[in-house]
Structures are given as C-alpha cells and as structure tokens.
Amino acid sequence: MATQTMHRGRLIDHLQLVVNDLEASRRFYGAVFEALGIAIGGSGEDYFWADELFVSTADSAAAQGALTGRHHLAFQARDRGMVEAFYRAALAHGGRDHGAPGERRYHPGYYAAFVLDPDGNNIEAVYHGEAQRSAASVEISF
C-alpha cells in the first residue's frame, strides 16, 4: 500500500457542499482557490475536492440525494492582496458581491471580502493581519 500524505488545518477535517450545478461550482471554486494558492486535490464525474472542502452533486453517493442548505465558509488568505484576488476571481466566475474587500469591525486588522457562490453560499476570504503560525499545516501520513 502506498503512503498518502495530507496537510490539514486546525478544527475541520472536511466539509461537503452539495450543489445544483457542479460545473458552475467547479469554475467558481477553481478560480477562487487559484487566487488563494490552493490546488484542486481531485475530481470525478459528480464531485471535486480541495483541501478540507468536498463539493458534489445531489446524486453522488456521498450526498444521498439532498442539497445542503446555505452555508458560510471563510477561507484563510495570506495577505490583503490575496483577499482582493479572491474577490475579483469570484466575481469573474459566477460569484455575486456580498461585501467588497475591506476592514471589518470583528477585530483590528480583520480584512475580508464576501461573495455568494452559484448556490447562494456566503463565501469569505479573510486576512487577520500580521501573525506568526507555528506551522503552515498539519501533515498526516498513512
């Protein structure tokens, strides 16, 4: 058996969005992930995934025939420029404005942009300001 290595963040192992139009979502998320420096990890006829996010059709085996409801997902950005690139990519690939890039009142330095994806999910890119990470990700080998 080959060893597989994954990099994971903090709390979430994975999230699944079940969408109406997989190709529209593939274009949207492909563009915003490129802007955020995240590669699509894999795909099939009725799904694709990147890092902790799994996106599928309602008729995929994992979805069991039901669409997910409206969600808010916030993606981490390395800097303000990445938040702005996310916003431009989202709007150019089927996203709708839900809050242009700018500082928010959540805490000093909170810089974010919000868009609605093709299914109406509230998608955010956020940069929390200068900070030091203990690691870029958690590496898991099995």
Side-chain angles (χ1 to χ4, degrees), residues 4 8 22-56 75:
Q4 183 176 5
R8 291 289 189 239
L22 187 67
E23 290 311 311
S25 291
R26 202 183 305 261
R27 285 188 301 274
F28 173 84
Y29 285 103
V32 299
F33 289 154
E34 183 176 333
L36 295 171
I38 302 294
I40 296 293
S43 65
E45 183 177 312
D46 57 2
Y47 71 91
F48 66 91
W49 63 271
D51 209 334
E52 292 98 350
L53 182 63
F54 184 83
V55 180
S56 72
F75 300 135

Side-chain angles (χ1 to χ4, degrees), residues 5 11 21 23 54 101 115-116 132 136 138-139:
T5 301
L11 174 64
D21 185 339
E23 290 311 311
F54 184 83
V115 296
L116 298 177
Q132 184 175 355
V138 176
E139 185 174 321

Side-chain angles (χ1 to χ4, degrees), residues 3-137:
T3 300
Q4 183 176 5
T5 301
M6 300 184 303
H7 292 266
R8 291 289 189 239
R10 298 167 296 195
L11 174 64
I12 304 298
D13 183 78
H14 68 275
L15 300 169
Q16 181 179 4
L17 290 180
V18 182
V19 300
N20 279 314
D21 185 339
L22 187 67
E23 290 311 311
S25 291
R26 202 183 305 261
R27 285 188 301 274
F28 173 84
Y29 285 103
V32 299
F33 289 154
E34 183 176 333
L36 295 171
I38 302 294
I40 296 293
S43 65
E45 183 177 312
D46 57 2
Y47 71 91
F48 66 91
W49 63 271
D51 209 334
E52 292 98 350
L53 182 63
F54 184 83
V55 180
S56 72
T57 62
D59 57 352
S60 71
Q64 301 177 352
L67 294 173
T68 51
R70 184 176 183 274
H71 292 287
H72 171 71
L73 303 177
F75 300 135
Q76 298 177 42
R78 288 190 299 268
D79 54 37
R80 288 176 174 221
M82 188 174 270
V83 170
E84 293 161 5
F86 156 88
Y87 183 75
R88 287 190 305 271
L91 294 183
H93 292 87
R96 297 184 320 261
D97 173 61
H98 199 54
E103 291 220 19
R104 303 298 194 258
R105 58 183 170 82
Y106 306 126
H107 67 70
Y110 195 110
Y111 190 83
F114 299 84
V115 296
L116 298 177
D117 77 0
D119 284 275
N121 293 297
N122 181 19
I123 309 300
E124 172 185 5
V126 58
Y127 172 62
H128 289 281
E130 292 297 321
Q132 184 175 355
R133 286 180 168 257
S134 62
S137 65

